[in-house]
Amino acid sequence: MAKGLFASLKGVDAFGKTTEDVKVKTRTGALLTIISAAIILSVTMIEFLDYRRVNVDTSIVVDRSRGEKLTVNLNITFPRVPCYLVSVDVMDISGELQRDISHNVLKTRLDSLGVAVPNSFNAELRNDLDKLNDVKKDNYCGSCYGGLEPESGCCNTCEEVRTAYVNRGWSFANPDAIEQCKNEGWADKLKEQADEGCNISGRIRVNKVIGNIHFSPGRSFQTNTRNLYELVPYLRDDQNRHDFSHTIHHFAFEGDDEYDYWKAEASKEMKKRIGINTNPLDGSVGRTVKAQYMFQYFLKVVSTQFRTLNDAQIINSHQYSTTHFERDLSEGINGDTPAGLHVQHGVTGLPGAFFNFEISPILVVHAETRQSFAHFLTSTCAIVGGVLTVASLLDGILFATGRALKKSGVSSSGGGYGGKLM
């Protein structure tokens, strides 16, 4: 019974065999076999390389992070603004205001040729000021010279006198008449640095909300109703041109993960692989010959996440897009566009470079992936089966065509001979 059962299974055999004595082997078949083997080998090798290759898949999801901060990594040169005049301030929509940031920010004085002045890092005036304060008596209380006094009622430094003047709405016109400024040698040092520029580099921490970073005349000079030389009158006659022309060497938004060296390197590698290793503002140049000139950059920051193979590392970073706008403040609130259209500005503006950033609600995820072994095995089987099937069909067609041509040739020869006999 078992033998009969197995005998009945022969009817479903899809791989019928032929004996060697009935097989017909041809040179065409041999050539097709060699070509098929070469195709199978080469395509299988390509498939194996593709299986071993690490690809990057990109997807977009809603950014669900909360309470994060952004790190702004920047390096900007102002060739015609002295370091003591430039203030780095941060404001955001939450109401937080950071004035005259110095933590993790390095100011380097540059001479008229753009070369760094030796031993000029950060605020040299402030360092000398600290030394002077150390030798003053504890009961010293300096006059504010009519300016708006602070809570302590004393202005012990030249900077405090300047702040008192600005808070009162006065112009700080003659520092030589101020005792504190004379003791600090403030005016002489400002004149010495009048033809210098400034390079500002470092990292600034900001809230992950709408805000702006601006480089402008310092807090002691900020009065919207006056121009630069009214705010800083001792620059008026120094025969040097002062404007906020600048070169942006580097400007990037980074995540907290990029403080880790290995994660930062992995982030750089993935950015380079997908072609986003350069920032839109890197190498940008803003030029003007006017002191009353405002540069504005509008940035859309997009959160970005990089995931290495098998989620071995997850690095949070950011990328951004940007547009810019320039405005001549000497025209006041009214002005004309290059096309001749009359426009009116809602605010008077301030000389400087302003970077306004806005946070996008999406998260771009770049994840490394690799094909599974099952996919590679399936593809290999498909390659072998497909090539052999096509080769078999082609061999059958060529063999049948050859036989048909031979038969027709024989028939033609036989018919002609018979005609001659007749």
Side-chain angles (χ1 to χ4, degrees), residues 83-85 109 120-132 159 162 184-190 192-193:
C83 280
Y84 66 81
L85 183 61
R109 290 168 50 194
S120 64
F121 302 116
N122 215 334
E124 185 180 352
L125 293 178
R126 182 171 297 175
N127 293 337
D128 291 343
L129 182 61
D130 293 339
K131 295 176 183 178
L132 286 171
E159 183 177 353
R162 285 189 295 164
E184 297 169 13
W186 193 79
D188 293 336
K189 291 189 177 182
L190 295 190
E192 178 187 344
Q193 300 177 24

Side-chain angles (χ1 to χ4, degrees), residues 257-274:
D257 290 340
E258 291 176 290
Y259 279 92
D260 182 279
Y261 174 79
W262 299 110
K263 287 189 175 183
E265 289 299 311
S267 175
K268 290 179 182 178
E269 179 64 27
M270 290 197 68
K271 286 180 179 180
K272 184 177 180 180
R273 187 185 307 171
I274 60 182

